[in-house]
Amino acid sequence: PFFGGTLCVERPLFRTPVMMTGGAGTACGGTLAIDFNAYIASGNDPGLVAGRDVWLQAWSKDPGFSPPNDVSLSDAVQFSICP
């Protein structure tokens, strides 16, 4: 359990820089996206190397809602980094 959702990844947790979704008002039309190839190339996480398995889950906050309803979690995804 995590903020009313389910955290699907385990420690160690690493966070990307804060991102804006571009959603406005009550339409909830925003999206989160990351160029993971560019993130790997940045060297911010030296553990991201060819052959490594990666598990990702988006954690977002919406200041338009009061806690605890201001937090949401995406489904999780898993992939391997190819050489």
Side-chain angles (χ1 to χ4, degrees):
F2 188 79
F3 287 100
T6 301
L7 186 63
C8 298
V9 296
E10 293 183 356
R11 296 193 185 279
L13 300 176
F14 298 94
R15 294 184 183 166
T16 62
V18 172
M19 296 183 276
M20 301 302 286
T21 64
T26 59
C28 296
T31 60
L32 290 171
I34 185 169
D35 180 340
F36 212 74
N37 288 324
Y39 187 74
I40 291 170
S42 75
N44 287 333
D45 185 343
L48 294 175
V49 296
R52 178 66 53 118
D53 290 328
V54 177
W55 293 265
L56 294 175
Q57 184 176 22
W59 170 18
S60 62
K61 293 192 73 163
D62 187 336
F65 293 92
S66 299
N69 300 319
D70 61 339
V71 174
S72 64
L73 295 165
S74 71
D75 292 337
V77 296
Q78 184 274 328
F79 61 91
S80 297
I81 300 173
C82 296

